[in-house]
Amino acid sequence: GENVEQHPSTLSVQEGDSAVIKCTYSDSASNYFPWYKQELGKGPQLIIDIRSNVGEKKDQRIAVTLNKTAKHFSLHITETQPEDSAVYFCAASKGSGYALNFGKGTSLLVT
Amino acid sequence: KAGVTQTPRYLIKTRGQQVTLSCSPISGHRSVSWYQQTPGQGLQFLFEYFSETQRNKGNFPGRFSGRQFSNSRSEMNVSTLELGDSALYLCASSLMDSGYGYTFGSGTRLTVV
C-alpha cells in the first residue's frame, strides 16, 4: 500500500521565519495531496491541498509544491506566527473511495 | 454552518465490552470516513462510506465495523474491546464523491481499561 514519509518530526522556528515540511509518497497512482493542521484537543483542519495536475499552490502565507517525478511534496509557511504552532500532517490519496494515507506528523513550534 | 459532530467526546470502557461511536457529517456531505489516531501509529484509515455503501476498509480486525444511514450519519462499532483500542477516533466528511476536501470532527477519545 501507499507509504507516506514526513520530515522533520519536530521543527522549531523564530517568529517571522519560514518553515518547510517535506513528504514523500510511494504510490505513483496517488493524485491528491492535502495538508492538515492539528491543534491540541481538536481534529485535523485542512489548510491547503494540491492535485497532481498542479505543481504549486499558494494561499496567503501557505504554499505547497508537488514534484510528481520525484514523488515528493512540501509545505511552506512564511512569516510564521505563534498561532502557527501545531502538528502538521501531510497525506496522499488516489481520490474517490480511497483512504488518505497520512505521514507521521511534524510538531511545529514558533517562538 | 455546523461542522462534523462526533459523540460522545470522551468514553471509558472496560476490556471485553463493545462501544458505538456516532458521527454527523456536515449537512449535504455524503462521503464519510473514519480514522484511528494513536501516538505510535499516527492516523490510520478505518472505513469509507458513500451513499450507505462501504467502499473501502483499512487493515483492522473484524471487531471494527461501521455503517452509514440514509441521512449520511455514520456509526462505528468496536466489539470485544482491547487495551490497544484506546485511541482518538476521528470522523471526516466530504461534499462530493471525489475523495477531496475532507473536513474532520474533533473526535471521540476512547480509553479502554
Side-chain angles (χ1 to χ4, degrees):
Chain A
E2 173 73 278
N3 181 42
V4 178
E5 297 204 355
Q6 182 172 346
H7 299 281
S9 57
T10 60
L11 182 59
S12 184
V13 299
Q14 299 254 327
E15 183 177 353
D17 286 351
S18 295
V20 179
I21 302 171
K22 299 182 178 182
C23 289
T24 60
Y25 62 99
S26 60
D27 191 339
S28 56
S30 290
N31 58 24
Y32 176 61
F33 307 92
W35 286 87
Y36 284 86
K37 174 184 180 183
Q38 187 173 27
E39 296 173 316
L40 206 58
K42 297 183 179 181
Q45 175 195 0
L46 179 65
I47 56 172
I48 196 167
D49 57 9
I50 192 168
R51 301 182 196 182
S52 60
N53 58 347
V54 175
E56 184 173 357
K57 184 176 178 181
K58 190 173 181 180
D59 182 5
Q60 299 184 332
R61 297 185 297 109
I62 293 173
V64 58
T65 58
L66 170 66
N67 184 327
K68 284 178 57 181
T69 303
K71 294 208 278 280
H72 69 70
F73 56 112
S74 301
L75 177 72
H76 304 253
I77 306 174
T78 58
E79 300 171 21
T80 54
Q81 301 165 4
E83 50 266 40
D84 293 329
S85 296
V87 180
Y88 290 80
F89 292 94
C90 64
S93 170
K94 290 186 279 191
S96 177
Y98 288 93
L100 290 172
N101 296 285
F102 285 89
K104 293 293 189 186
T106 295
S107 180
L108 174 64
L109 179 63
V110 182
T111 56
Chain B
K1 188 176 183 181
V4 178
T5 303
Q6 292 188 245
T7 56
R9 285 297 311 274
Y10 302 93
L11 206 48
I12 300 176
K13 288 286 188 179
T14 304
R15 268 183 306 175
Q17 287 186 313
Q18 74 166 19
V19 66
T20 299
L21 311 181
S22 180
C23 171
S24 293
I26 292 172
S27 179
H29 283 200
R30 296 169 61 194
S31 175
V32 173
S33 292
W34 288 88
Y35 290 81
Q36 181 195 66
Q37 186 175 26
T38 59
Q41 298 299 317
L43 284 148
Q44 292 188 289
F45 172 74
L46 282 157
F47 340 91
E48 191 267 351
Y49 290 91
F50 183 81
S51 293
E52 302 178 68
T53 300
Q54 184 183 94
R55 300 192 298 181
N56 203 353
K57 188 177 192 305
N59 189 25
F60 279 84
R63 300 185 296 107
F64 291 80
S65 63
R67 59 178 176 170
Q68 185 182 33
F69 302 96
S70 58
N71 62 358
S72 293
R73 192 177 68 84
S74 179
E75 288 182 347
M76 67 163 283
N77 183 278
V78 188
S79 62
T80 320
L81 284 165
E82 300 177 358
L83 295 178
D85 297 333
S86 295
L88 180 67
Y89 290 88
L90 292 158
C91 170
S93 72
S94 174
L95 175 62
M96 297 182 293
D97 179 22
S98 62
Y100 307 144
Y102 274 97
T103 300
F104 280 82
S106 294
T108 293
R109 171 73 62 185
L110 171 65
T111 301
V112 183
V113 297

